[in-house]
């Protein structure tokens, strides 16, 4: 049973030292009970109390990790069934499937596709994090050759070794152990050997069984061996059953508070459908419904753009606005004489404005000041978008050194800022743009035509 704030308070040293960032031990205890802070923040708590509190306040779904260095990722750690209740914590990771029975051309094509899909969206780098490498041939040398090729070809991907043969698994782990691979393939027949191997190399272990009941029993056996870094999957082959399995695993952990199923899950979308767009549809379903790792046959931009955008939206804290990075953005082939517009750092506003500027075919610059991640009117009303913040952005991003223009186009809805900005930026002229972004293309074309004439 979860501890209350008063239960936790009784375990604290009651020094009220404030070193944890809270004014009193009671305030710290209340926040700890809500899961908003970690027990380790208290510098004077005994190790015994920390251990008890860490276990009692840990989320019902365990947070597990794989990878190494800059490519270390977390899965699980979720506390709610629905995003609107609070937030989802550790985002879904995507994998592309390889097997040692594929042709050289097919393997090379997948490697090139994985390397091609790599871009930044709202300050987040989007790429495939996992290469799911399966041993189908039963030949250790052939499998090791594939792992080496994928490891060398996909520098950003962490291997997921898929085999149920402990001997082949050990050799495969040796081949890529420095990357912190996932070891997938523990089942009723081999789980003891696979657990020993996972323990030896401190790996995330993928566990699979024919159905939910057998998976539950297998996880209990593995937990009795003292290993809890697990990733779960059933061997179901129908979409309906896989959906039922994944949802029930999550509900068992979070609603029934049964930690036997308190682990993230992997979904092999590539085995549920062969057609690319159907795989995309299945993957979108499990991004929303609890797939922590989703394996696809291949990746290209027609799959990546909707999947990564959906993931970013689902795994963004709804209590915090999505922001783009502040800066000076070049749109099209803008030169030093191109028009300069200013808008806010709220992601939705930025993408609408930049999209309309692109649609106008007029190369331009867009200046993004620190507006708190709010929309234009909200930022202005909150004092986040003002003459001072815009002038600060002009200076911070050295606009006067990069551009010859001394005119700045502001959103029509904050026309009242015109005099304020001109006071803060001597020598600059403020042009009031349209109130709606949809009117920007015509405005920019008229603006540049007027300049030329």
């Amino acid at each position: 049973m979860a501890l209350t704030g008063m239960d936790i308070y009784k375990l604290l040293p009651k020094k009220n030292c404030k070193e944890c960032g809270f004014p009193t031990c009671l305030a710290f205890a209340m926040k700890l009970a809500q899961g908003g802070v970690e027990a380790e923040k208290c510098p004077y708590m005994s190790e015994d109390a920390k251990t008890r509190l860490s276990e009692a306040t840990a989320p019902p779904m365990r947070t597990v990790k794989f990878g190494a260095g800059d490519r270390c990722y977390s899965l699980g750690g979720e506390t709610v069934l629905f995003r609107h209740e609070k937030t989802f914590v550790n985002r879904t990771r995507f994998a592309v499937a390889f097997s040692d029975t594929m042709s050289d051309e097919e393997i090379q094509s997948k490697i090139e596709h994985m390397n091609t899909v790599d871009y930044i969206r709202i300050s987040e780098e989007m790429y495939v994090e996992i290469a799911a490498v399966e041993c189908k041939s039963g030949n250790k040398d052939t499998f090791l050759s594939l792992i080496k090729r994928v490891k060398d070809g996909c520098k950003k991907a962490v291997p997921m070794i898929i085999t149920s043969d402990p001997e082949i698994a050990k050799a495969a782990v040796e081949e890529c152990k420095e990357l912190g691979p996932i070891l997938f393939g523990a089942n009723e027949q081999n789980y003891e050997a696979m657990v020993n191997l996972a323990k030896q190399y401190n790996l995330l272990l993928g566990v699979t069984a024919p159905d939910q009941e057998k998976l539950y029993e297998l996880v209990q056996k593995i937990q009795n061996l003292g290993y809890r870094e697990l990733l779960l999957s059933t061997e179901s082959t129908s979409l309906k059953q896989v959906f039922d399995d994944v949802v029930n695993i999550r509900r068992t952990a979070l609603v029934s508070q049964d930690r036997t199923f308190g682990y993230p899950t992997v979904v092999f979308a590539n085995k549920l459908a062969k057609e690319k767009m159907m795989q995309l549809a299945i993957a979108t379903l499990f991004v929303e419904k609890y797939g922590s790792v989703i394996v696809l046959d291949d990746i290209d931009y027609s799959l990546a753009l909707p999947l990564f955008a959906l993931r970013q939206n689902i795994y963004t804290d709804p209590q915090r606005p999505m922001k783009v990075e502040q800066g000076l953005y070049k749109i099209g082939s803008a030169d030093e004489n191109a028009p300069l517009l200013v808008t806010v750092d709220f992601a939705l506003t930025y993408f609408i404005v930049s999209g309309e500027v692109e649609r106008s075919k007029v190369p331009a610059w867009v200046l993004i000041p620190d507006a708190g991640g709010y929309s234009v009117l909200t930022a202005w009303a909150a004092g986040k978008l003002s003459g001072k913040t815009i002038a600060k952005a002009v200076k911070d991003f050295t606009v006067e050194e990069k551009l010859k223009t001394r005119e700045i186009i502001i959103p029509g809805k904050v026309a009242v800022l015109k005099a304020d900005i001109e006071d803060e930026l001597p020598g600059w002229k403020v042009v009031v743009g349209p109130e709606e972004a949809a009117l920007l293309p015509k405005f920019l074309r008229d603006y540049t035509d007027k300049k030329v004439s």
Side-chain angles (χ1 to χ4, degrees):
M1 181 180 292
L3 296 180
T4 66
M6 290 309 297
D7 293 333
I8 295 172
Y9 179 65
K10 292 173 184 173
L11 296 171
L12 297 181
K14 305 180 185 65
K15 286 177 174 284
N16 292 330
C17 65
K18 304 179 183 177
E19 293 182 38
C20 59
F22 292 87
T24 63
C25 288
L26 182 59
F28 175 73
M30 294 301 173
K31 197 67 177 177
L32 185 56
Q34 296 169 4
V37 67
E38 295 176 349
E40 286 72 15
K41 285 285 185 183
C42 176
Y44 301 107
M45 194 186 302
S46 69
E47 288 303 317
D48 178 55
K50 279 184 182 178
T51 302
R52 290 175 59 190
L53 285 175
S54 296
E55 291 176 355
T57 58
M61 174 174 283
R62 188 177 179 83
T63 301
V64 297
K65 293 187 177 183
F66 68 96
D70 294 340
R71 307 296 174 197
C72 184
Y73 306 100
S74 296
L75 302 173
E78 305 297 342
T79 58
V80 294
L81 279 180
F82 305 105
R83 177 178 177 265
H84 64 262
E85 293 178 303
K86 192 175 180 183
T87 184
F88 289 166
V89 180
N90 289 309
R91 63 197 54 207
T92 302
R93 302 296 175 179
F94 295 110
V96 166
F98 294 83
S99 87
D100 56 0
T101 55
M102 289 177 177
S103 67
D104 286 346
E105 293 75 18
E106 193 174 358
I107 293 169
Q108 186 59 35
S109 171
K110 290 190 180 196
I111 290 173
E112 289 173 2
H113 288 170
M114 285 181 67
N115 291 331
T116 299
V117 176
D118 189 345
Y119 62 99
I120 292 177
R121 183 180 190 273
I122 315 180
S123 306
E124 180 185 344
E125 189 178 6
M126 306 293 189
Y127 57 91
V128 175
E129 296 94 348
I130 301 170
V133 190
E134 184 172 7
C135 179
K136 287 186 176 178
S137 67
N139 184 303
K140 183 170 71 176
D141 294 335
T142 305
F143 188 48
L144 294 184
S145 173
L146 173 64
I147 289 179
K148 186 174 188 314
R149 185 172 176 185
V150 172
K151 184 179 76 170
D152 293 341
C154 305
K155 295 294 186 186
K156 290 188 174 180
V158 177
M160 179 161 76
I161 299 165
I162 304 176
T163 178
S164 58
D165 185 325
E167 185 184 340
I168 292 178
K170 182 174 176 58
V173 170
E174 275 292 333
E175 180 64 43
C176 58
K177 61 185 178 184
E178 72 280 4
L179 300 178
I182 300 170
L183 175 60
F184 186 90
N187 56 34
E188 182 63 36
Q189 290 73 42
N190 68 10
Y191 73 90
E192 290 179 318
M194 295 294 262
V195 167
N196 289 335
L197 186 57
K199 278 183 178 178
Q200 180 182 349
Y201 292 93
N202 193 26
L203 301 179
L204 178 59
L205 178 62
V207 183
T208 184
D211 54 43
Q212 292 175 46
E213 185 179 347
K214 290 185 172 59
L215 182 63
Y216 189 90
E217 293 170 358
L218 181 57
V219 172
Q220 284 182 318
K221 292 176 183 175
I222 292 175
Q223 286 181 331
N224 289 338
L225 294 176
Y227 206 65
R228 296 175 188 274
E229 302 300 310
L230 307 180
L231 181 66
L232 308 185
S233 174
T234 64
E235 296 168 9
S236 305
T237 54
S238 76
L239 174 58
K240 179 178 181 299
Q241 189 57 53
V242 171
F243 181 79
D244 185 64
D245 293 343
V246 171
V247 171
N248 275 338
I249 288 171
R250 176 71 68 99
R251 291 186 66 84
T252 302
L254 301 191
V255 178
S256 303
Q257 298 280 303
D258 186 340
R259 295 184 186 233
T260 304
F261 265 173
Y263 300 97
T265 52
V266 54
V267 174
F268 291 89
N270 60 322
K271 295 183 178 177
L272 298 176
K274 291 301 174 190
E275 202 272 322
K276 184 171 83 170
M277 288 299 125
M278 182 53 97
Q279 281 191 34
L280 171 62
I282 292 171
T284 57
L285 172 66
F286 286 105
V287 168
E288 298 176 50
K289 285 296 182 185
Y290 319 145
S292 292
V293 174
I294 297 176
V295 183
L296 301 164
D297 256 338
D298 205 345
I299 192 75
D300 60 26
Y301 274 101
S302 68
L303 292 169
L305 290 175
L307 279 179
F308 288 134
L310 175 66
R311 181 182 74 175
Q312 192 173 43
N313 287 331
I314 294 293
Y315 283 86
T316 298
D317 188 343
Q319 300 173 53
R320 295 181 183 177
M322 292 178 70
K323 296 168 64 175
V324 294
E325 198 167 323
Q326 300 144 34
L328 182 64
Y329 289 82
K330 181 180 181 180
I331 297 182
S333 55
D335 59 19
E336 58 190 10
N337 295 308
L340 172 65
L341 301 93
V342 64
T343 188
V344 291
D345 53 355
F346 180 45
L348 181 60
T349 300
Y350 170 77
F351 282 113
I352 290 174
V353 169
S354 60
E356 293 297 339
V357 174
E358 287 179 6
R359 194 164 67 88
S360 74
K361 307 294 184 189
V362 176
W365 298 89
V366 178
L367 179 65
I368 305 295
D370 180 5
Y374 299 123
S375 63
V376 171
L377 280 178
T378 307
W380 169 71
K384 298 289 185 181
L385 182 64
S386 65
K388 280 190 170 60
T389 58
I390 293 173
K392 184 175 185 303
V394 168
K395 290 172 185 171
D396 288 349
F397 302 115
T398 60
V399 175
E400 292 183 338
E401 296 173 20
K402 295 173 181 171
L403 308 183
K404 286 185 178 177
T405 183
R406 291 296 179 266
E407 291 187 0
I408 187 166
I409 302 168
I410 64 172
K413 287 183 176 175
V414 288
V416 293
L417 290 177
K418 184 175 188 298
D420 190 17
I421 298 169
E422 288 177 343
D423 286 345
E424 295 291 337
L425 290 172
W428 281 74
K429 177 183 176 184
V430 174
V431 178
V432 177
E435 291 194 355
E436 301 298 334
L439 301 176
L440 268 175
K442 181 177 185 310
F443 173 87
L444 285 173
R445 285 193 288 269
D446 293 345
Y447 177 82
T448 51
D449 289 345
K450 187 177 176 182
K451 286 283 181 187
V452 171
S453 62

